[in-house]
Amino acid sequence: MNMATTRPSPGFHRAPSRSGSSGTARPSSSSRGDGASFAAAPRAQAAAPQASALRDVSDVMVGVALILGVLFALLVLALYTRDSMAVGKALTEQGQARGALVCKDGRIARGDGSLSDRIIEDGVFVCTDWRTLQAIEQEEAERGMRKY
């Protein structure tokens, strides 16, 4: 004989039905009102972290730092692009002028290199690679010979 007992569910009445059949009967209206059903019971929810002023301030500071970082990166990119365009323009102008020396590479030089000077001033093109016209013609001829 099995001595284990089970706890009856509040939705089902385990007493024999009046019709004489053995087994579980349909829940009666009185048994439904006896206790709250399992499905209707409030579920345990995970405890949400409590919002605190320190956490809010730290979230704002992280957001501000990220925005400043993105703005700084965009500024550096804009300055680099501006310098690159100025170097290309200056090299094109130098290449069109035929003389004994031709500039092949250069950079943009600014006053003292401070941030305000870098942002505001246009800068001056400084050639870093001077070539003679004869050396340039010789390099072009060698490149032409290697292609064939």
Side-chain angles (χ1 to χ4, degrees):
M1 176 178 211
N2 187 357
M3 298 301 287
T5 59
T6 59
R7 191 175 89 205
S9 173
F12 292 101
H13 183 60
R14 296 206 183 247
S17 67
R18 291 185 190 155
S19 65
S21 65
S22 62
T24 61
R26 292 187 178 180
S28 64
S29 62
S30 64
S31 66
R32 286 184 188 172
D34 291 340
S37 70
F38 179 73
R43 293 189 177 138
Q45 295 182 4
Q50 296 293 328
S52 66
L54 183 60
R55 184 178 181 136
D56 292 342
V57 169
S58 68
D59 288 345
V60 169
M61 293 299 289
V62 167
V64 168
L66 286 174
I67 290 172
L68 288 176
V70 168
L71 288 176
F72 181 75
L74 288 174
L75 176 68
V76 168
L77 181 65
L79 293 176
Y80 178 75
T81 303
R82 181 182 71 176
D83 287 353
S84 177
M85 298 293 282
V87 167
K89 182 180 176 184
L91 285 175
T92 303
E93 291 172 359
Q94 293 281 336
Q96 290 176 353
R98 287 291 181 187
L101 291 175
V102 178
C103 181
K104 284 301 206 178
D105 195 15
R107 64 180 175 84
I108 299 294
R110 290 194 172 76
D112 59 356
S114 66
L115 184 62
S116 62
D117 194 30
R118 286 186 173 271
I119 294 172
I120 297 170
E121 295 296 321
D122 286 336
V124 178
F125 178 76
V126 177
C127 186
T128 57
D129 186 17
W130 288 99
R131 305 268 176 102
T132 62
L133 189 58
Q134 183 181 10
I136 292 172
E137 289 172 353
Q138 183 179 359
E139 287 175 5
E140 289 174 355
E142 288 175 2
R143 274 190 239 142
M145 296 298 270
R146 282 186 231 156
K147 287 182 182 177
Y148 299 110

